[in-house]
């Protein structure tokens, strides 16, 4: 009657799992490696120590919205937990965003950053989400912003000082469409009384905004009178709050009651004359925002991989302390085989996500070849879709490996599942990204470059473990001469095949 | 600014989807068919009408436990929603359990019942769960109970009169093990003062009891002094409440806070001298309970299939009303292809689950051949594991097809996912059932019978669509001469291969 | 260790407490009495039986507002508990409002109704609140409504058929003022497209509306262009919902999170072109509404008295089952003295509230003398303020008599206190009503009539138990020749003095 | 439509209200005064600044109990808000308890402490409650503890260092009785294996324990075999948690769901072999604990007075910003008169509570005369009962002065009322204390001393404002020769009369 199951335990992932170290060695020169590893060791400790506690507190105390004050004034105030605030500050201190812009390790800085993010994310209660948008906003400003934005906003977004650090929202989704922004109905009109250079005002409803507690946001809107469709959109910059912390002509219609990412304040916003500035000149909004999407997709891939690792760490630990039918779970051959299978899938995610991070770093530092640039463009969507799907499948399997305990919220396992489902939804669903990959193959001439890369660098893979996906890929491309609709129907199988080939090629 | 997405709608699944009708035609003689179809049409209407409302209310108002009264008396009272109570009554009225025992349609009664359950489940807020245990308990009493149990409990369990109808709990799981009941530490001692023939009393903790609001329960306990391990266990019968509705020497330690099935009161129970009776003679508990498991696994398969159908109905409906990139979702080739793929997977689930229901009915009515009996034994676990996994994968895909809306609780889509995860956990996880299948192949000589069945009846399938799984099956069985551990490692792949073969065989 | 306090119990108040019977005998002719007593006996049973259960359920499941549907449409839907709905239906069936208009017992019908309400209220979860407004609206329509309103709305408000019965809201309070409606900023404009005769549309915010779930409402608004202040106001009639149950151009800004009356849906409403009709001709809104206030104040007095009785019943019962210092509480002289004191205060409330109900009935049936009409006008405010204050003080004392148990929510005692506080707030606070009484004395020449009444009918009281308040009254009136401000400062003392005199006079 | 009521504001009560300064001047020598006032000014700022914020956070996030860990282990963990923890630390830093034992201002230290507490309490979310018990425990140890307790526990209880500071619980109430501890059924048995000198173990249920998060507790228990009734009780000391923060053989049955004091973790505890030590020798438990009660009653009086002041501050502020009927509330004569009346009542509370604090300080420092000691004994209960009742009445009136806003939780006004009700319940109800006062008059010969004090020092009061209570007092005492029961019936009137006389005497 007094039997109590020993719980699974978490240790420093950077030390307990060698996969990350192995991948780093591929990309980082030995002289940088020890500096980086020291920091990662420290971050790994935090992630199984106080970050973990903070993230649990943030989960337990989700954001609360107060729409009115007692006297009927609209205030739209969101209260975040202490845990969330602490994690945001820690993200600044450890340079999760900053490391990508300080470029201390040259074109490997994005690899270093990916490692930080990979360790941070699973204990971050999805503070990683605003960080992704923050990084994307920093990049957009770096590329398109004027001096003022670079001096102020950019400096804050890439600061390591929690008191100066800003996160940024990215408000794209409207009710008319998720990934399809063409129907954007937010209207920008010139302001009759610009204050501090905010010479536009915005009116519209943003339907899914995941960082409503940020200090600034990047968003798409259609200047009054501009043409319909995507081409009429411009990229705008806004700061959310005035000196007293009150929202500037923004109403929060409600917080989303989501399946997961519950510590994260996702809201529906009504912009009612919100002051804004153009980022760059008018027009080209979608093009500008796409620089941002590339970054958030890489973040998504790295976070999904870290998330998958967290689930595996727990499953591994549990399999060593839980007994059934007279043996530890890990000593049951089928249980062990199941875990090994999941490790393989995870390892593919790790390879893929760090490979695109590596390409991104080279691209940004100007050391990427033309082929590498195109590979980055083509692989980013499929790495995102592959890691998201594998993470969800893997976590669902982990839930099952815990049996009934995996289904009970206080073990924390259900949170892993509820959260995992988000990776395949935001930043483009599997289907949307599969078609995006198709576009890259076609429009940016990525197909021959990708084939060359595979045949040159992954030859032993496609003759070995990657044989089946390689055959799939070839057969789809061969039949691709047919009608466009048939090709689209195959886009997803193609994307997964290529992801498998690249992942296995990188591992081999 | 005033765009509002049209929501997906639900209609009568029995009419809108022809798959069920097609499957029924296979098993049910034409003269029965019209009677059955008329009832199913009626039940289908209820399921998209008031049952749906009730199930939503039951979800919105989950069970609440009050442990103490204001004056400190332990009362352990669970309050269920009105929706839940109404659904339980409706289940009685429509004969969800009763239909399996009235046997109005002879050895096809289980097929009829499966169709009822398939339509009922997705609007039942998991009242289907206690029904499964109720049916299992009825079967166990039919097989092993004495006259008194048959007269009273059995009559109530199979009643169509809501005022007489009882549901039954089935309390197996303890903290030491989920599927592994060998460590059961609940002790049964002879009662010094038996009341109404309850001549044992039980002491122990039951860790996962999903029908705590039932009037009776079947459970395993170890008579004081009986041998350790599974062999020392006996099957007991208890009635939970006295005439005033107070629990009889049972404390509810807490309600489980679960990922899904939130309308269902799952509890941890402390038995403290709970009065009980033996079912049959002492010993043989595991054997007796296994008759019950067969039934709950068939229920699980049917419910998972119905759940999958519900998700697909919603995804289909949404794909016709939602537009993106200038077209309805359904007009995007890749979206359409994804839906078709899910329809295929669902159709396999439907074939498999109705096939085992059919075998079960024949077995119970004595019209099954020896081969069919063994097929029932061998296929029950793999049909359960296959339908559970496919349902979860399918629902996760459906979530994604809804985009952001799939991740927001008030659309109801997240509930589908949270609930779907349960099917692969309760009644044996994928791994546990894979090994159970292996045991059936080996110990009950099911392998040659299964091979014969496949080669005779599914010949065209294994030469066509089922070629790959057939090769997998053969290769695993060929290598099976090796060590046991290697075979176990392959048990899961084997199970899925066989399930695929049978499903595709049945469809062809 | 196993001591458990016996809880207090509730029995049929009509039988257990003779006060009500005694009061009825004063006002009701013997031939009516037995009919009425039979009904009250029945109602008393319900109030300690299923009404009590329903009211508890209604308390446990307070109203929930859903502002948006999953797709972003504004729906503003309030979900009420089953208990609440059942109580509303029961109120219709028992004729709580209807009895006042059927006038089956002639000018004693309001006394009969008061007795029903007195028994109903404490088990009504404050369904009594919409009933008060419903009754007030019926009266306003009877006095000022056109034929159409009398035929439709009035018939529904006074129906005993739950399927036809309507309740009415009464929306006065705006943010600018509670009792002071002069600043009403809701504007009525002629409708360009009247539907079904609703030829005005209203725009404004109503800050405290306690029956948002009603089907209709009476409210004050200022026709566009009408003069400022109270004189520019008109009384309007609106029906809240269209055929689909959707609010007609009304947004519910939020439900109030109140100290008590938690089962009651009190809301802030934003009228945005709500269709409405004038009640009578334009203007005179405040005068018309005041007929309504008289009724709601009488309701308030009767409910406060019933509420006080409920608290006393519980305290009496507890004092007989709880022991301390070796004796039952009731056997402690000080405890007994405290209860007796509370009984005295309660008895005053009962006398006063039935006296004004009696005057009201006579007034409505045209059997009141001129003096009685003026007494009704003068006494209504002070009976309301007196009963409200005494109820709150009494209940606070009862909380204390329960000791710690009185402070713990699940005993139900704190609810009594939280609810009791409302009586002195709505329908005019103590100070507002004291000044209203002063106005009655001055403007309606009530002073001499009141003095005459006291000296004629309550002579023995003012020489006996009411000596002190009588002296107070005289001294205040004597000094009243001084400045108005000094008199106002004394208005409250005066009001209580008069209430004491009348109460004691009636008892003697 | 856009009118928004200006909210009431809070400023530094020490500066805004001169009453406290005036009272301090009476008791504190001028040379001490400026030191004390400087500190009080500082504390007053905190109380309208960050303490206020913390107390709001503590209210918004009430304690949460987790009974089991995910794996079924009983853990009984209470999570307190950050606000609560911060306030406890602040209480240490500012020396709320310590100031009473450092005795820096000699026999005026209790007056100084009372001033601190008076300012601290209304922004303390009832951290003042554990402080009262902490102070009481310190006093009990000072009087009866051995060297070890004095060295360790006492030092911690009176520390200003938050990292060393301990609070103490005081666990008296059992289900059998509130104030009546004679039925205490907690049994103490000698421990067979004493650890660290804890040589007793306790078994029983404590029904109302308001400081379950404290590190230690003082409690009554009956040594096994000791006589029944109060005389068999001894006072014990226990430390609640082991080195890992786990409770030592204490189960928390539940947290009380209280009307008010919601930030405070009040629990029902089951002691199951809890290790304890005797305080002093066996026996005399009730006598020892009474030293503790004197202190908690003084705390209660001071806190109730501070609470009353807070309500008045808000009402005053509101009356200056709210307009009705064309004038600010404060400019309405009756509103102004109502506020003045409340100020008078509050001022009596302030006089009384500081007077007993002053007597307490003298008693503890040995500077009290015999008469003063007896006055302290006699007045402590009636000051407590008087301040508690007046506070509740006053706050209820303040709620009403706010109108509807006073009834809505987010204004914070309802909290004041819900909290106020506690003062007359804990530490003895009005009736219990009235009888205690009677006992003091009789058994401790307090009557003549009290009469002498009144006639000597309050002569002008009893001829002026206190004439009426003085006559009441005399008449009751005169008739007191009669039977005891009659006297008891008058005990409460007597208590209030004496309190009025003393209060008015002190003011004059």
């Amino acid at each position: 009657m007094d039997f109590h199951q020993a719980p699974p335990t978490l240790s420093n992932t950077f030390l307990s799992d060698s996969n990350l170290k192995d991948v780093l060695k591929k990309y980082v020169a030995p002289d940088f490696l020890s500096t980086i590893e020291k920091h990662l060791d420290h971050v790994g400790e935090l992630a199984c120590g106080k970050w973990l506690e903070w993230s649990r507190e943030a989960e337990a105390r989700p954001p609360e919205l107060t729409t009115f004050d007692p006297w009927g004034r609209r205030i739209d105030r969101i209260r975040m937990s202490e845990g969330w605030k602490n994690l945001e500050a820690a993200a600044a201190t450890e340079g999760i965003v900053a490391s990508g812009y300080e470029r201390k390790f040259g074109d490997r800085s994005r690899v270093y950053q990916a490692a930080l993010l990979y360790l941070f994310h699973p204990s971050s209660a999805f503070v990683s989400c605003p960080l992704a948008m923050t990084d994307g906003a920093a990049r957009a400003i770096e590329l398109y912003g004027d001096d003022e934005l670079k001096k102020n906003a950019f400096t804050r977004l890439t600061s390591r000082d929690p008191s100066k650090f800003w996160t940024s929202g990215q408000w794209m989704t409207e009710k008319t469409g998720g990934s399809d922004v063409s129907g954007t109905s937010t209207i920008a009109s010139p302001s009759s009384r610009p204050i501090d250079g905010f010479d536009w005002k915005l009116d519209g409803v943003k339907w899914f905004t995941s960082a409503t507690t940020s200090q600034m946001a990047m968003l798409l809107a259609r200047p009054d009178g501009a043409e319909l469709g995507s081409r009429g959109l411009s990229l705008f910059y806004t700061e959310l709050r005035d000196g007293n912390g009150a929202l500037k002509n923004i109403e929060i219609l409600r917080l989303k009651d989501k399946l997961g990412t519950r510590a994260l304040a996702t809201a529906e916003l009504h912009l009612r004359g919100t002051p804004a500035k153009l980022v760059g000149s008018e027009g080209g909004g979608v093009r500008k925002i796409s620089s941002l999407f590339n970054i958030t997709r890489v973040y998504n891939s790295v976070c999904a991989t870290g998330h998958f690792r967290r689930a595996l760490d727990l499953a591994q630990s549990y399999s060593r302390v839980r007994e059934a039918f007279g043996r530890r779970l890990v000593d049951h051959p089928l249980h062990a085989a199941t875990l090994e299978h999941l490790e393989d899938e995870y390892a593919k995610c790790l390879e893929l996500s760090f490979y695109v991070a590596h390409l991104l770093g080279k691209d940004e530092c100007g050391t990427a070849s033309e082929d590498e640039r195109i590979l980055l463009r083509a692989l980013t969507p499929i790495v995102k879709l592959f890691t998201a799907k594998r993470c969800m499948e893997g976590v669902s399997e982990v839930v099952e490996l815990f049996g009934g305990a995996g289904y009970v919220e206080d073990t924390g396992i259900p949170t892993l599942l509820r959260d995992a489902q988000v990776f395949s939804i935001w930043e483009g669903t599997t289907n949307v990204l599969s078609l995006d990959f198709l576009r890259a193959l076609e429009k940016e001439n990525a197909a021959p470059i990708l084939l060359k890369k595979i045949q040159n660098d992954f030859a032993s893979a496609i003759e070995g473990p990657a044989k089946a996906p390689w055959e799939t890929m070839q057969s789809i491309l061969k039949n691709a001469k047919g009608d466009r609709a048939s090709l689209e129907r195959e886009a997803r199988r193609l994307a997964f095949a290529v992801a498998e080939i690249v992942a296995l090629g990188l591992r081999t």
Side-chain angles (χ1 to χ4, degrees), chain A residues 275-298:
Chain A
K277 292 179 190 186
L278 275 170
V279 179
S281 55
E282 207 176 313
V286 172
R287 181 176 46 80
K288 287 174 194 160
I289 208 82
S290 70
S291 63
L292 201 157
F293 284 152
N294 282 337
I295 290 190
T296 54
R297 284 171 184 168
V298 173

Side-chain angles (χ1 to χ4, degrees), chain A residues 231-247:
Chain A
R231 298 215 304 210
L233 301 173
S234 292
L235 183 62
F236 286 88
Y237 166 87
T238 184
E239 292 175 10
L240 277 66
R241 288 176 179 77
D242 64 22
N244 301 318
L247 287 168

